[in-house]
Amino acid sequence: MNRAAASARGVITAYYGLAGVANALWGATLPATDARLDLGPGRLAGLLLALAVGALVGMPVAGRLAGRWGAPRLLCGSAAASSLGLAVVGTAATAELLTIAAVVLGVLFGAFNVALSVQAVAVERAAE
């Protein structure tokens, strides 16, 4: 494997690590968010559903955007936007705003994962 391929694989690995950390941060903040906003089990379940619905909406859109803009651009943009989305979720003042922020975060996480997968395939093919 040449240096460029090894470097590209390292970058993809770092992005996968970032995706894992972002998801772990989201999950780790749920107990504190529940306590801060007094959500309860029903609202927490709704919040998790909101994130999943957002991801389901964001993934097909991200596939089209990756084709139009290129996976590297979408990957960088969605990674940065996902990080900002985590901050918005963490500072939501009401359960309603939190739910909206969770939908948006789901869209961003979905886009990030699609862009990452598309770029990982491209890196793998280039290394062959």
Side-chain angles (χ1 to χ4, degrees):
M1 178 181 340
N2 64 31
R3 288 183 105 154
S7 176
R9 281 188 174 181
V11 169
I12 291 299
T13 300
Y15 270 111
Y16 272 110
L18 178 62
V21 167
N23 280 298
L25 287 171
W26 154 255
T29 62
L30 288 176
T33 302
D34 179 23
R36 181 171 53 89
L37 297 177
D38 193 29
L39 298 174
R43 281 191 177 159
L44 272 176
L47 191 61
L48 295 173
L49 182 62
L51 181 81
V53 167
L56 287 172
V57 169
M59 287 180 183
V61 173
R64 286 188 223 109
L65 291 176
R68 181 176 295 172
W69 296 345
R73 280 176 68 190
L74 183 61
L75 181 58
C76 291
S78 62
S82 293
S83 299
L84 290 174
L86 279 171
V88 171
V89 166
T91 58
T94 66
E96 293 77 16
L97 289 175
L98 179 62
T99 302
I100 293 167
V103 171
V104 172
L105 184 63
V107 169
L108 296 172
F109 276 179
F112 184 24
N113 283 301
V114 166
L116 182 53
S117 295
V118 170
Q119 189 60 26
V121 168
V123 166
E124 183 178 343
R125 287 184 179 156
E128 292 177 346

